[in-house]
Amino acid sequence: MSHAFLQNAWYVLIGVLLVGYAVLDGFDLGVGVLSPFIAKNDKERRLLVSAIGPFWDGNEVWLLTAGGALFAAFPHVYATVFSGFYLALMLVLYALIVRAVSFEFGHRVESAKWRRAWDWVFFAGSLLPALLTGVAVGNVMRGVPLDARGEFAGDFFSLLNPFALVVGLAGLSMFIMQGAAYLTAKTNGDLARRARGVGIWAWAALVALLIVAGILVVADSPERLDNYTRNPIAYVAPLAALAFLILTRVSLQKGTGGKTFLFSSLSVAAIMGIWGVANYPYLLPARNVAAYGLTAFNASASQKSLQTMFIIALVGVPLVLAYTAYVYWIFRGKVRAHEEHY
């Protein structure tokens, strides 16, 4: 296998891992953000936790694996991203930690105040990663200031630019839509009806924010459109996103739970695909000097390292996919009231 093939393969593989995270952890983060607003009593809040209980920790592994793959395949990118985005990543990490703690501590004391307090921790621990992950994606798409050595030359506040914030809100809307779609498939009655209503609003917000983000890309970072003008086949990603978003909206209106979640998941994957196509071959574009940008070709590990890891991935990824499918099959169907203390 040539070095160029392996560099491209790892660009795609890391993209697949990030899509897996957005689709799977997207729904359980979305459920966490929705929980204070659609659950009307303690029983319904426990039902929401039970709906994601068997999956949430496995879903987060996709993000950890993507980080590990980035470290091994593109160590220079890993070093720059984790030093430049350090504060934001620490906030995401702490939010995920307290969110995990809320699962374990929320039901330990028979006190309404105790439970409500941990419910709000669960909400905040879901909201922050959903928002900041989108802000990070916005910065990676727009580009960040890098020096000649490819190291981050900005500060935390330079990451809070209008484009990144719009993408952050789009990411939050996308996760809320995904969470609502998941709940329409896993719950019944009034809870499912409320989830469907919120999902329609989140869908509208996502579409509006994607349009705004697209306008900002044209005005602020037109080079992100180069791959689309050079290769018309690249338009498959935005066309797929458009088709799946329409199908998601129709399914939300009809209340077809399983199809709604399927189309919402495909919408998330296609939207992530738009980002991957637009950025290729850049993993971290430089906003100040294009030549300083870190690509799949100038920031990768050695050919031998990439090849060894690629062989491991060929063995390991199917096993992970099979295990994930097995877990979802075991816990398929609607969540029931007696499972509220999962």
Side-chain angles (χ1 to χ4, degrees):
M1 287 178 279
S2 70
H3 201 188
F5 169 80
L6 291 165
Q7 289 162 329
N8 282 309
W10 276 102
Y11 183 91
V12 173
L13 279 173
I14 289 175
V16 169
L17 291 169
L18 292 176
V19 168
Y21 173 74
V23 169
L24 298 178
D25 212 30
F27 78 71
D28 71 59
L29 289 174
V31 170
V33 175
L34 288 173
S35 59
F37 308 106
I38 66 170
K40 298 301 182 184
N41 52 52
D42 189 63
K43 181 180 178 180
E44 288 187 347
R45 283 189 286 275
R46 305 280 76 77
L47 208 59
L48 295 185
V49 174
S50 295
I52 62 173
F55 312 117
W56 67 270
D57 48 355
N59 293 342
E60 290 179 0
V61 170
W62 288 81
L63 182 62
L64 298 175
T65 306
L70 187 67
F71 170 72
F74 303 105
H76 196 166
V77 179
Y78 178 91
T80 300
V81 168
F82 277 75
S83 58
F85 297 4
Y86 187 79
L87 180 56
L89 290 172
M90 286 299 104
L91 287 173
V92 170
L93 179 61
Y94 289 135
L96 292 175
I97 289 173
V98 297
R99 182 172 183 265
V101 172
S102 73
F103 282 103
E104 300 298 330
F105 278 59
H107 61 280
R108 296 291 182 186
V109 177
E110 289 301 326
S111 162
K113 289 183 179 179
W114 174 271
R115 287 193 168 195
R116 287 297 292 164
W118 282 109
D119 286 340
W120 283 108
V121 171
F122 176 49
F123 164 73
S126 303
L127 175 67
L128 207 55
L131 178 63
L132 291 181
T133 302
V135 172
V137 169
N139 279 293
V140 171
M141 189 168 186
R142 178 176 181 262
V144 296
L146 298 176
D147 63 20
R149 295 178 299 175
E151 295 180 0
F152 183 64
D155 54 40
F156 175 73
F157 294 103
S158 68
L159 302 176
L160 302 177
N161 54 80
F163 178 75
L165 293 175
V166 167
V167 176
L169 291 173
L172 176 61
S173 301
M174 185 173 75
F175 284 3
I176 292 175
M177 179 189 75
Q178 182 73 343
Y182 178 75
L183 289 176
T184 63
K186 294 293 288 185
T187 62
N188 286 310
D190 289 342
L191 197 54
R193 180 181 53 76
R194 285 184 225 121
R196 195 163 64 248
V198 173
I200 290 173
W201 281 105
W203 180 93
L206 172 61
V207 171
L209 288 164
L210 288 177
I211 292 172
V212 173
I215 294 171
L216 290 176
V217 166
V218 173
D220 187 63
S221 307
E223 64 275 13
R224 295 283 85 79
L225 303 175
D226 288 349
N227 286 334
Y228 291 99
T229 55
R230 291 171 187 159
N231 302 290
I233 195 172
Y235 282 101
V236 169
L239 290 174
L242 177 62
F244 291 134
L245 280 170
I246 292 173
L247 291 170
T248 301
R249 179 63 178 82
V250 172
S251 298
L252 281 168
Q253 189 67 39
K254 291 182 176 178
T256 51
K259 288 183 179 178
T260 303
F261 184 58
L262 172 64
F263 291 137
S264 177
S265 299
L266 292 172
S267 299
V268 172
I271 291 169
M272 294 290 287
I274 294 173
W275 170 42
V277 170
N279 263 43
Y280 179 82
Y282 287 98
L283 290 142
L284 189 61
R287 184 153 181 83
N288 47 338
V289 180
Y292 294 169
L294 301 177
T295 73
F297 304 110
N298 69 10
S300 72
S302 68
Q303 181 176 359
K304 190 171 184 179
S305 296
L306 293 179
Q307 183 167 314
T308 302
M309 293 186 302
F310 189 68
I311 293 170
I312 295 172
L314 288 178
V315 175
V317 171
L319 294 175
V320 172
L321 292 176
Y323 174 76
T324 302
Y326 175 73
V327 170
Y328 277 84
W329 173 256
I330 290 296
F331 292 98
R332 67 188 182 281
K334 304 283 186 182
V335 65
R336 295 184 293 274
H338 65 77
E339 295 172 335
E340 60 189 1
H341 291 107
Y342 166 79

